[in-house]
Structures are given as C-alpha cells and as structure tokens.
Amino acid sequence: MKVVICGAGQVGFGIAERLAGEQNDVSIIDTSPRRIQMVTEQLDVRGVVGQGSHPDVLARAGIEQADMLIAVTLHDEVNMVACQVGHALFNVPTKLARIRAQTYLAPEWRDLFSRDQLPIDVIISPEVEVGEMVLRRLSLPGASDTVSFSDGAVVIVGVSCTEDCPVVDTPLKQLTELFPDIQATIVAVSRGGRSFVPRSNDQLLTGDLVYFVAQADHVQRTLSLFGHDEVPAQRIVIAGGGNIGYYVANELEKRNAAARVKLIESSRERSQAIAEELRRTVVLNGDALERAILDEAGVGEADTMIALTNDDRINILSCLLSKQVGAKRILALLNEQGYATFARGLGIDAHVNPRQITVSKVLQHVRRGRIRGVHALLDGSGEMIEAEALETSPLVGKPLRDLGLLDGLRIGAVVRNGQVLLPRGDFVVRAHDRVVLFALADRIKRVEQLFRVALEFF
C-alpha cells in the first residue's frame, strides 16, 4: 500500500513507524527539515520538506499513486485542505484527517465533511478518543487498560497480577473449571518485557500484565478474580484544563451525578473560560506541582487523581506527589512511548497514550480484509482486532481446535446476532460472525488474510 502522511510529529512518526515496519510504501511530509531528517534516518520512508496542503509538495511525495492520505499535522485547517487537494487534484481513494477543534465537529455543522464539501473519509478527534479512554478507566479503576468493541458489548481489559492476586500460579484451564460462569478469556500476557499468547497449561505469575476479553456485564466480576474490587471513583481531581481535561470534566457532569470533580489549570484565562462552561466542577487556578494547590483541591481524599496536561513530566510528578499526599489511585497522560514502562515502575496505576490511541484508529482503516476495529496493545507488540468472517474465510466451518492457523493469535469472543459467545476448542465460527481476537505484531498479516475475500486470500 502506498501511503502519504502529512505531519512528522509524534503521531505522524508513530503511524509511519507501524506502516513502514509492515512493508508499506510510506512518504511523510513536514515543514521542519529537522523532523524529516530524524524520521528518514530512523525509518525506511521517503521524506519531503514542505507544507502538506500544497499540491506541489504532495506531488513530490508521490500522491498520484497513493492509496491513502493521512493528515495529522498540528493544524486542523492544513489537514482539511490537504484532504481537499488530495481528492480534487489527485483522486486519492481514502483520506484521513486529525481534527482537534470541537467546533468543526458540532452536530449542526456535520455537512461540512460531506463528499461535496470537504471530502474527508475518516475524521480522527484525539481529544474525544483520549477523553473516552480516561472515562472508561474511571469506570473500571482496577484496570490498567481498557478498550471496547462491538458497540460496547465486548470489553478488553488489562490488569496487573499483584502478590495477593487469587489466580496466580493456577493453570488457565483450571480457571475455566473453577469459574465456569465467568464469561472471559485471557488472550495476552506481558512478562518481563516479553509479550505472548498464553496456552491452557500456562500459569500467571506475580508481576504479569494480563489482558482478558469479556462480555461487558462480566468485566467487574472478572476483575474481582484478579483481586481488584475497587469501586468507580466519585472524588476526582483533574490536573490540566485543556481540551482533554475539559472534555472529561464535562462528561463526568453529564454521566455521573454523584461525582465530585475539581480541576486544576495553570492558566488564569483558561481557568476562567472553563469555569464559565462547567456547572458542578470546581475550577482552581494554580500549579499542579504545588502542594498548597493540591491540598486546596483535596487530593489527599481523592479516589483518583488524573494528570492531563500537555507536559509528560508534569503529569508524572503531579501524580506521584498526589499519591504521596494520599490519592488512592493516579492516572497520567503520557505522550512519550518510552515513559510508559518508567511510569509503571514508579507506581503510577494507569496511563493513557494519545499517540497509541490515534495510531490504533488509523490502523483500523489501513488493515486489509473485513476489519471493523483495531487497538494496539503492549507498546505495539500486539493488537486487538475485531473482524467479520466471510463465507470464504478459512476460519469458517471447522472447530477451532482443528485449525492450524492460530499460532500467535487468540480468539477472545465472537459476536453472533448481537449475542457474545466465548469460543472453546469445539467452537465453530460461522459466516458474518464478528470475531474479536488478539494477534502478536508479526501475525497481523495472517489476520488480514483470514478475513479477506477468497480472490485476495488465494
């Protein structure tokens, strides 16, 4: 696949890294010569210096042969114009754009992105995506990671095995026998920096990061098996009143009448602006690294402290200071991929990575075959994928235990006519089933093949 990416920032670099690593033909455009030099030195991609919305720059990047244009610069207007130019002058089949300003996405202006106006096929709104991820973490405080598929019917949850975890040292096949009424399947384990798909005889160890797939109404019970009985947070402190912090506070006011939310914002002007918009949230103007402002916000009595500023270091330090003051749980927004492991080692309970979320959203539309949803896990070493099985798929019509195609893959759930089913060895996938599975990174191409039509597959 030939892909042109506009924007070589963290998100653009992350997308280029994944696509180039999968042997796609990638060109990346940025106005910064330094960024282009850095990207081309580290990745097997073609770099072009210039404005991504300019036709001549797009032409130098090879847009005439492109299957997809991905516009993720820092400026919404550049992203929109790049897609318009890609459509009008070069007839690019698929165009994705990152749109951050929520006014563009308001329901009353929905016709703006129609094919007759601004022909953008996929709009990515990172603030909304990240905000929803934070809200899911708040609703499942025992989880270190969560993502939902099949319109929320299936939930994927990451959970840490602590020393008091009841299921440690128990073979996985015994868990099914001991808890037959729990509708959940363990699909991936990260241990000592290595990710793998567990087998039925494998045991979980203290320190493991485990991912399971469950029917939505069985998630809390499954978390209890891992020793996580935490109740959803009601006393919440948010550090950072930017787009994401404001979105989370605003949605909490709408969805959780019992929540008591306080928000810390360093900019006086921004503090005043969001205080006028929010009804029940207490907005404090101050520095989230100052003990006095944390005390004023009541961090010592908070169920959860969420750090959502634009600075990873402030997010990490304010979380650690809040934990020291008495916050029961801390969650940090981390843009730098390398900070994730570092943060876990410091005791940060959970983190959200905007780049990973945005890259996952893009991959959903890059993947070949009948792929309906994608979410990257474990720092990109694997993916959760939702795909539709066609009549010609090799998965259809045979018991799973008889298929020799699932090495490095693990099917977690199948959605059939709206019903969530957990497959065992004798389970038979039918045509049009929605299959939710985990795949290690080097098995992604196999997943694409399994869900292609026959002509492509053979």
Side-chain angles (χ1 to χ4, degrees):
M1 179 182 288
K2 169 66 177 177
V3 181
V4 174
I5 302 171
C6 298
Q10 291 182 338
V11 171
F13 181 92
I15 296 170
E17 183 178 34
R18 291 298 295 274
L19 297 184
E22 296 173 7
Q23 309 308 311
N24 292 289
D25 182 357
V26 178
S27 296
I28 189 164
I29 301 169
D30 200 276
T31 55
S32 168
R34 182 184 60 82
R35 284 183 178 174
I36 290 297
Q37 180 180 1
M38 180 186 69
V39 172
T40 54
E41 287 178 351
Q42 297 184 46
L43 306 176
D44 183 17
V45 302
R46 178 184 181 187
V48 176
V49 177
Q51 186 63 263
S53 57
H54 291 179
D56 60 323
V57 176
L58 287 168
R60 281 192 282 129
I63 194 70
E64 294 97 335
Q65 295 81 37
D67 301 294
M68 181 177 292
L69 171 64
I70 303 172
V72 288
T73 75
L74 294 176
H75 306 289
D76 292 352
E77 292 75 16
V78 172
N79 297 337
M80 291 189 288
V81 172
C83 289
Q84 177 71 66
V85 173
H87 171 77
L89 299 184
F90 302 105
N91 198 30
V92 179
T94 305
K95 300 160 290 295
L96 290 77
R98 178 170 65 175
I99 307 295
R100 305 180 71 177
Q102 295 304 297
T103 184
Y104 285 127
L105 306 177
E108 57 266 35
W109 316 124
R110 64 170 62 90
D111 290 341
L112 175 63
F113 299 107
S114 67
R115 194 162 186 82
D116 295 330
Q117 306 297 333
L118 281 173
I120 300 174
D121 301 295
V122 180
I123 293 173
I124 303 169
S125 177
E127 280 77 9
V128 172
E129 299 288 342
V130 173
E132 287 297 324
M133 180 70 76
V134 170
L135 291 166
R136 286 197 294 271
R137 299 283 178 85
L138 288 173
S139 65
L140 295 171
S144 60
D145 196 2
T146 62
V147 62
S148 60
F149 284 129
S150 298
D151 299 321
V154 177
V155 180
I156 295 86
V157 178
V159 60
S160 297
C161 292
T162 58
E163 293 182 356
D164 56 353
C165 177
V167 299
V168 163
D169 298 328
T170 304
L172 298 186
K173 62 181 179 182
Q174 289 188 19
L175 296 181
T176 303
E177 299 168 359
L178 293 171
F179 308 100
D181 60 330
I182 297 296
Q183 298 295 302
T185 303
I186 295 175
V187 295
V189 177
S190 176
R191 177 181 298 163
R194 182 178 72 92
S195 303
F196 62 94
V197 175
R199 300 179 181 275
S200 60
N201 290 323
D202 288 338
Q203 300 179 2
L204 302 179
L205 305 179
T206 299
D208 284 353
L209 176 59
V210 179
Y211 279 86
F212 66 82
V213 176
Q215 188 173 321
D217 55 2
H218 282 250
V219 171
Q220 199 61 59
R221 294 177 63 192
T222 306
L223 281 171
S224 298
L225 291 182
F226 286 88
H228 291 277
D229 293 308
E230 298 91 339
V231 298
Q234 300 297 340
R235 292 172 295 184
I236 302 163
V237 176
I238 301 172
N243 290 335
I244 298 174
Y246 170 77
Y247 180 86
V248 171
N250 191 42
E251 290 301 311
L252 283 171
E253 289 187 346
K254 296 176 183 177
R255 305 182 192 184
N256 189 346
R260 290 179 286 171
V261 183
K262 295 182 180 179
L263 188 151
I264 303 170
E265 167 57 39
S266 59
S267 165
R268 179 175 295 277
E269 182 180 355
R270 178 63 178 172
S271 298
Q272 293 173 344
I274 60 179
E276 292 175 0
E277 297 290 332
L278 297 171
R279 295 169 298 172
R280 294 188 288 109
T281 301
V282 176
V283 179
L284 304 173
N285 175 227
D287 187 344
L289 294 179
E290 291 184 3
R291 174 63 184 268
I293 197 71
L294 294 178
D295 288 340
E296 186 178 351
V299 166
E301 293 78 40
D303 297 320
T304 302
M305 159 65 169
I306 314 170
L308 301 174
T309 77
N310 291 324
D311 191 316
D312 286 0
R313 290 165 294 184
I314 291 176
N315 292 340
I316 291 173
L317 291 174
S318 62
C319 276
L320 295 178
L321 182 57
S322 298
K323 194 67 170 281
Q324 188 179 51
V325 171
K328 295 183 178 65
R329 185 171 173 80
I330 50 178
L331 187 155
L333 181 76
L334 300 178
N335 287 284
E336 287 290 342
Q337 193 76 21
Y339 281 158
T341 303
F342 171 70
R344 281 196 294 267
L346 291 176
I348 291 178
D349 299 300
H351 73 278
V352 174
N353 187 322
R355 183 175 76 169
Q356 180 172 298
I357 294 171
T358 305
V359 170
S360 295
K361 189 75 173 180
V362 171
L363 289 176
Q364 176 179 338
H365 302 279
V366 172
R367 294 279 174 254
R368 298 182 185 274
R370 301 298 286 271
I371 307 299
R372 303 299 185 183
V374 173
H375 186 78
L377 300 179
L378 302 168
D379 297 330
S381 62
E383 292 180 9
M384 288 301 311
I385 298 173
E386 178 185 359
E388 180 184 350
L390 301 178
E391 292 89 343
T392 53
S393 170
L395 287 178
V396 172
K398 296 181 181 179
L400 294 181
R401 65 163 59 95
D402 295 339
L403 296 173
L405 305 167
L406 300 180
D407 180 45
L409 313 176
R410 184 69 183 271
I411 296 178
V414 172
V415 180
R416 178 180 296 162
N417 299 323
Q419 182 181 4
V420 179
L421 308 172
L422 294 192
R424 306 303 179 199
D426 58 350
F427 186 88
V428 177
V429 175
R430 299 178 185 172
H432 307 299
D433 281 353
R434 293 288 186 92
V435 180
V436 179
L437 75 159
F438 173 81
L440 293 171
D442 60 355
R443 297 294 189 272
I444 300 299
K445 292 299 182 184
R446 176 176 293 178
V447 175
E448 293 179 336
Q449 291 175 338
L450 290 175
F451 293 97
R452 288 182 187 178
V453 298
L455 184 61
E456 290 180 283
F457 183 75
F458 293 104

